[in-house]
Amino acid sequence: MAKRIDLKDVDIYYGAFHAVQNVNLTVTPRSVTAFIGPSGCGKSTVLRTLNRMHEEIAGARVDGEILLDGENIYDRNTDAVAVRRTIGMVFQMPNPFPTMSVRDNVVAGLKLQGVRDRKKLDEVCEASLRAANLWKEVKDRLDKPGGGLSGGQQQRLCIARAIAVEPDVLLMDEPCSALDPISTLAIEDLIADLKTEYTIVIVTHNMQQAARVSDQTGFFNLEATGKPGHLVEIDDTEKIFSNPTQQATEDYISGRFG
Amino acid sequence: MATATDSDLDRPAAEPSTRTISASRRFKDRASTVLVTLAFLIAVVPLIWVLVTVVARGAPAIVSATWWGNSLSGILPESFGGGVYHAIYGTLIQALIATLIAVPIGIGAAIYLVEYGRGPLARTTSFMVDILAGVPSIVAALFIFAAFISILGAPQSAFMVSLALVLLMLPVVIRNTEEMLRLVPDRLRESAYALGIPKWKTILRIVLPTAFSGTVTGVMLAIARIMGETAPVLVLVGYSRAINYDPFGGNMASLPLLMYSELANPEAAGSYRIWGAALTLIIIIMIFQVGASLLSRYSAIPK
Ligand SMILES: Nc1ncnc2c1ncn2[C@@H]1O[C@H](COP(=O)(O)OP(=O)(O)O)[C@@H](O)[C@H]1O
Ligand SMILES: [Mg+2]
């Protein structure tokens, strides 16, 4: 199930713009890795290269190796669609499919991959909603539109949708930034539960959140706007927040800039 | 010590300056109100006039017992009998065939332009659509005449009319569908990709359904527009006073063509039928337009 990710000398470009420079890091299975750093330093960009979402942008390009359990996901013969089935993603804005019911949203991935078996779909639907801590709230309105839920419920619906296709890795890009504090706590609890089965990488601008949910924290920074972002350091979360090696990290987490 | 009364306290120290409006400003205010109202009336009066005239003159015809169910086959020019169902059929079947051809091509082209189109081919296509949108209906009709009837030797028929209508409908359908597809937020596409759904399936099952009602609304407006087109029916098909169900051969009436041919009828029955056909055409077009606006009410794409 959960898989290990290694980034080796990764450089990321948007056309001629060098967005992220020379990232090396390892994410171990069944752990939560948080990316923190000032905005524009390339956290989302790095995250989106992990499931080859980056290449959907015209002119976007990645150099270096990204290994999933040792296999390069950017290998010439690797299919981006297959990579994304293995590495799921939850976005900043909750975005259920507006034409679909709650149930259809959850099983959209399976259905569109060709699974027809009604019983199996119903089982996966319930299991995923339970795993996303949403089952109790929506079990009586599975046939209602997914867009009718509250923001926090919609985001958990999107998490349920992502885990319904049984990925090995779950990427989350500021999943709580559009949510109220209570929904945020619900999602953080959920991340702690999911950790037992998935490898999770989460981008957050909220340092308390990084400290609460993650095992490992990476701090990204950039020297100046227009310069590429880079990974300053990555280490156990406890170490980063108590005794970081780099002065820049220390300044950032103590709120001296950013 | 004198105590101030409540009313003293409530009274403002000075009259607020906002309360007085200078005479010149009051005049400008009035004048612009009058001008705008006048412009509105100038725009609306002819519209109401046309509608009232058409309804008043057309009503006697369309309430007649035979209007909706009979043709003019065997009816003398001076007789008030008969009906226009042959022309209604013609108008509808010509629009239907045009729609069946134009909609798949138009939606396909729009999908290409929005979802795949990059580089010179997309730019050329987009440019051609702009040109097509500016082609007058008589030119579209003459083009079909030249290409299919003169060169290929096809007979005049309702189908030729439909082909000309396709040319008129295509740019409208393409532009509208493009707009609807662009309204579908990219994050929906991305979250489908993130589930491991291939691009073509994402378009077919996520993007198109989200844009569906807006697209259908646009198609219905396009249909409403082409049903009143007169140039293609004048150039590409002969008039028939009897019903002809075959769109691929023979003469076929349509409402605009019937009106045109009755213009040559000097009898009172001629203008009776012209006004009746005009009202009938307006009613049919309105049904499509009202349908479209009802649909668009349910077509909000979530932001
Ligand atoms: N689609 C894009 N096209 C071009 N440049 C982009 C695009 N998305 C992000 N960038 C640039 O890449 C850099 C990193 O952005 P991002 O990864 O979104 O930062 P973060 O998530 O850390 O705030 C920024 O300078 C941003 O302007
Ligand atoms: Mg970001």
Side-chain angles (χ1 to χ4, degrees), chain B:
Chain B
M1 209 171 116
T3 52
T5 64
D6 281 355
S7 64
D8 277 338
L9 286 175
D10 286 342
R11 187 166 46 81
E15 195 79 355
S17 60
T18 47
R19 215 171 282 168
T20 50
I21 297 173
S22 70
S24 86
R25 214 174 95 206
R26 197 170 303 168
F27 172 76
K28 281 185 207 154
D29 211 29
R30 291 268 165 78
S32 52
T33 311
V34 168
L35 276 178
V36 173
T37 313
L38 216 61
F40 172 74
L41 289 179
I42 291 172
V44 161
V45 163
L47 195 74
I48 293 177
W49 195 350
V50 168
L51 263 182
V52 167
T53 313
V54 175
V55 171
R57 301 211 184 177
I62 72 163
V63 297
S64 103
T66 52
W67 184 259
W68 301 92
N70 288 40
S71 72
L72 290 174
S73 171
I75 305 287
L76 291 172
E78 67 269 29
S79 156
F80 283 80
V84 297
Y85 100 105
H86 62 308
I88 296 176
Y89 171 83
T91 292
L92 291 179
I93 193 77
Q94 287 161 13
L96 176 72
I97 293 174
T99 305
L100 289 181
I101 300 172
V103 165
I105 299 177
I107 291 183
I111 290 177
Y112 169 75
L113 286 175
V114 175
E115 309 286 340
Y116 293 93
R118 278 174 193 175
L121 181 57
R123 276 198 298 279
T124 315
T125 312
S126 195
F127 182 61
M128 297 308 243
V129 173
D130 279 339
I131 293 193
L132 203 54
V135 169
S137 57
I138 181 74
V139 176
L142 289 175
F143 168 74
I144 296 294
F145 191 92
F148 287 82
I149 298 177
S150 297
I151 298 177
L152 295 178
Q156 286 193 321
S157 68
F159 184 65
M160 294 297 131
V161 175
S162 297
L163 289 183
L165 295 180
V166 167
L167 292 182
L168 299 175
M169 228 181 147
L170 261 182
V172 184
V173 173
I174 293 176
R175 284 290 175 243
N176 176 263
T177 308
E178 257 189 282
E179 219 166 282
M180 291 305 133
L181 292 178
R182 286 191 210 282
L183 279 180
V184 176
D186 270 340
R187 52 199 173 81
L188 285 185
R189 296 180 179 82
E190 289 194 340
S191 42
Y193 298 156
L195 293 174
I197 301 171
K199 180 165 182 169
W200 65 271
K201 248 186 196 170
T202 301
I203 294 169
L204 225 54
R205 303 285 298 274
I206 308 283
V207 178
L208 276 182
T210 307
F212 180 76
S213 40
T215 306
V216 176
T217 304
V219 168
M220 287 177 68
L221 289 175
I223 296 174
R225 229 213 73 192
I226 59 161
M227 280 193 307
E229 286 295 349
T230 311
V233 289
L234 290 183
V235 174
L236 294 166
V237 70
Y239 177 62
S240 157
R241 292 173 71 81
I243 183 81
N244 169 19
Y245 288 112
D246 180 12
F248 296 100
N251 295 343
M252 186 189 284
S254 55
L255 287 165
L257 193 52
L258 179 139
M259 287 155 72
Y260 181 77
S261 85
E262 290 291 334
L263 272 180
N265 179 356
E267 306 288 338
S271 69
Y272 163 89
R273 279 197 279 271
I274 291 176
W275 290 107
L279 182 55
T280 309
L281 186 58
I282 290 181
I283 291 173
I284 293 176
I285 288 176
M286 271 201 356
I287 289 174
F288 277 86
Q289 279 175 337
V290 168
S293 73
L294 282 184
L295 201 68
S296 74
R297 220 173 275 178
Y298 302 102
S299 73
I301 291 177
K303 286 279 119 59

